[in-house]
Amino acid sequence: MAQQESLPFFPIIVERGEGPYLVDEHGRRYLDFAESINVLGFGHPQLIRAISTQAARLVHYTSMLAWNRPCLSLSKRLASLTGIPRARVAFTSTGSEANELLLDHLLEKGDVIALRGAYHGLLTWTSFITLGREHPNIHQIPPGPAGLHEARRLFREENISGVIVETLMVHAGIVPLGEDFLRELRDLAHDNAAVFVVDEVYTGMGKTGSLFSYQRLGFRPDAVTLGKSIGGGLPLGGIVYDSGVVELTRAPGGTSTSQGANTTACAAGNALLDILEEEQIPNRVLEMEPEIGRLLEEHLDVIGAREARGRGFIWGLDTGDPGVARAAVERALERGVLVSTMGHRDEVVRLAPPLVVGLEEWRKAISSLARHT
Ligand SMILES: Cc1ncc(COP(=O)(O)O)c(C=O)c1O
């Protein structure tokens, strides 16, 4: 028990949520700028209603045996919203499983190019990439011009079946990748009949100022993987793919998963899409981005950071020093704000709140990191 209690990042036991606030078991409130699943904050009435109504009707019946409306409707909507032609959807329970299933398929056909430092999960194939381990059929290139050079060589010399990227590398320390780099890599993949995959597990559902992060960057992938937020807080992941270039049912594991399209999680996903659209949340995030960037720049010195990087509502303050980042996180915690660290050495303070907060909450979170108030 003592061991278990030392595991989580924050030394608190959370009991309930109220909008962007978490309340611990002693009644202390924390503004949450740390989590990545609950894009609507906690307890959005419309979302809770959708979950309760579906749970009362049918919590889950596996889509391996019979269809259900929430799952059919969510897959139709995701297919259309991604803009992927001939789109089909395969649901999983997590983002890692979605990436794993797609990589399984791509590696059956040839080699895969991934970005060095990317996070795609910690299962079999995904952990080779996430942990930077060598695999003869998985080639990891650095993001940027040197990576493009390496990709061109790989396409000349190897049989590459797919390329997988994040558009903003969160675990690598909040590194937004340039449009030109991503587009060139996508074009290289297309010129060589390889499948171009964007992992939207973290960045999807409006967090970078468009429903899917690639949509504001002006290109379209052949497949996207989803997870984290798409189940409105319930476990749900998925792949939306162009069935003209990817045939997932023929992948080694097929798409079989008993809980993959959990009925209640799909109902929550539909409600989430309704709310994002009705409240125009991605657009609101996009509009606030310049002011957030400005506020962060203004506070670099008092926080002890040297650079602010991000898009939409995912920002990192690079301190260059894990000790400085950790101290900032601890100051924020004492002041009732939850933020966490990212980057290979945990040297970057990450600010990633639910998308319902306003500039007032951003100001509060940023000033909670300051060395003096
Ligand atoms: C970009 C990205 N891909 C995949 C995953 C794995 O998703 P999950 O934790 O749902 O398995 C994560 C998790 O942090 C992620 O950030």
Side-chain angles (χ1 to χ4, degrees):
M1 190 61 188
Q3 168 106 23
Q4 263 183 3
E5 283 180 4
S6 71
L7 280 177
F9 195 85
F10 301 115
I12 58 173
I13 296 181
V14 293
E15 200 171 74
R16 62 179 197 278
E18 295 166 1
Y21 285 88
L22 275 171
V23 185
D24 77 5
E25 59 179 1
H26 304 298
R28 188 155 187 228
R29 279 160 63 85
Y30 297 89
L31 180 60
D32 181 33
F33 267 57
E35 215 235 358
S36 53
I37 296 170
N38 295 285
V39 285
L40 301 177
F42 308 101
H44 192 293
Q46 201 173 328
L47 179 64
I48 300 303
R49 244 189 337 268
I51 293 174
S52 319
T53 306
Q54 185 55 47
R57 196 175 283 155
L58 176 70
V59 173
H60 178 55
Y61 191 80
T62 182
S63 58
M64 289 170 72
L65 291 177
W67 294 115
N68 62 74
R69 282 288 158 212
C71 156
L72 286 172
S73 143
L74 185 60
S75 60
K76 252 193 208 147
R77 292 173 79 177
L78 289 173
S80 136
L81 289 165
T82 54
I84 292 177
R86 302 170 293 251
R88 288 218 179 125
V89 180
F91 285 112
T92 59
S93 303
T94 65
S96 307
E97 287 169 316
N99 285 327
E100 196 71 18
L101 176 60
L102 198 47
L103 286 168
D104 225 21
H105 166 79
L106 296 174
L107 286 161
E108 273 276 292
K109 312 253 173 230
D111 289 9
V112 165
I113 296 178
L115 299 180
R116 193 168 299 144
Y119 188 103
H120 295 303
L122 284 170
L123 300 179
T124 309
W125 300 123
T126 46
S127 62
F128 278 103
I129 304 171
T130 296
L131 302 176
R133 289 183 359 221
E134 300 265 316
H135 188 285
N137 305 111
I138 299 175
H139 309 275
Q140 300 189 45
I141 60 166
L148 282 176
H149 185 72
E150 179 65 3
R152 279 187 207 101
R153 183 192 67 75
L154 287 164
F155 275 113
R156 271 195 314 272
E157 295 175 9
E158 310 287 345
N159 168 33
I160 303 294
S161 59
V163 178
I164 182 165
V165 300
E166 293 171 88
T167 62
L168 185 160
M169 300 173 76
V170 175
H171 290 255
I174 320 294
V175 182
L177 300 185
E179 286 182 51
D180 292 347
F181 167 73
L182 290 165
R183 241 184 276 146
E184 272 194 57
L185 198 53
R186 201 278 317 251
D187 291 348
L188 262 179
H190 280 188
D191 293 346
N192 290 278
V195 178
F196 191 72
V197 183
V198 175
D199 178 338
E200 291 276 355
V201 172
Y202 199 107
T203 47
M205 300 296 124
K207 288 198 203 101
T208 69
S210 49
L211 189 63
F212 302 108
S213 68
Y214 61 85
Q215 288 170 327
R216 68 175 281 201
L217 302 177
F219 68 90
R220 195 179 60 200
D222 305 304
V224 299
T225 54
L226 302 167
K228 288 192 188 278
S229 350
I230 62 159
L234 297 177
L236 188 65
I239 308 169
V240 186
Y241 61 97
D242 177 348
S243 58
V245 296
V246 178
E247 231 183 324
L248 281 182
T249 43
R250 300 246 175 103
T255 54
S256 122
T257 162
S258 317
Q259 279 281 8
N262 180 281
T263 316
T264 305
C266 286
N270 280 309
L272 172 65
L273 288 179
D274 289 341
I275 298 162
L276 290 173
E277 200 179 299
E278 283 161 23
E279 299 184 12
Q280 297 191 16
I281 289 177
N283 204 37
R284 187 175 163 272
V285 167
L286 187 64
E287 279 172 13
M288 283 170 66
E289 179 188 281
E291 183 61 13
I292 295 165
R294 202 189 55 72
L295 276 173
L296 287 164
E297 288 289 335
E298 236 175 58
H299 286 78
L300 287 179
D301 282 350
V302 286
I303 293 167
R306 54 191 190 185
E307 192 189 7
R309 297 187 292 259
R311 274 191 190 121
F313 267 26
I314 309 175
W315 285 85
L317 289 164
D318 192 343
T319 68
D321 180 338
V324 172
R326 180 83 220 172
V329 168
E330 281 167 10
R331 283 193 297 273
L333 180 66
E334 260 169 43
R335 294 166 182 161
V337 178
L338 302 180
V339 294
S340 61
T341 54
M342 282 284 138
H344 296 302
R345 296 182 304 122
D346 278 322
E347 74 282 19
V348 179
V349 179
R350 175 185 58 176
L351 294 103
L355 310 185
V356 291
V357 303
L359 284 175
E360 192 187 324
E361 284 86 9
W362 272 97
R363 276 193 203 98
K364 179 173 172 178
I366 294 169
S367 56
S368 78
L369 299 165
R371 286 185 279 216
H372 310 285
T373 50

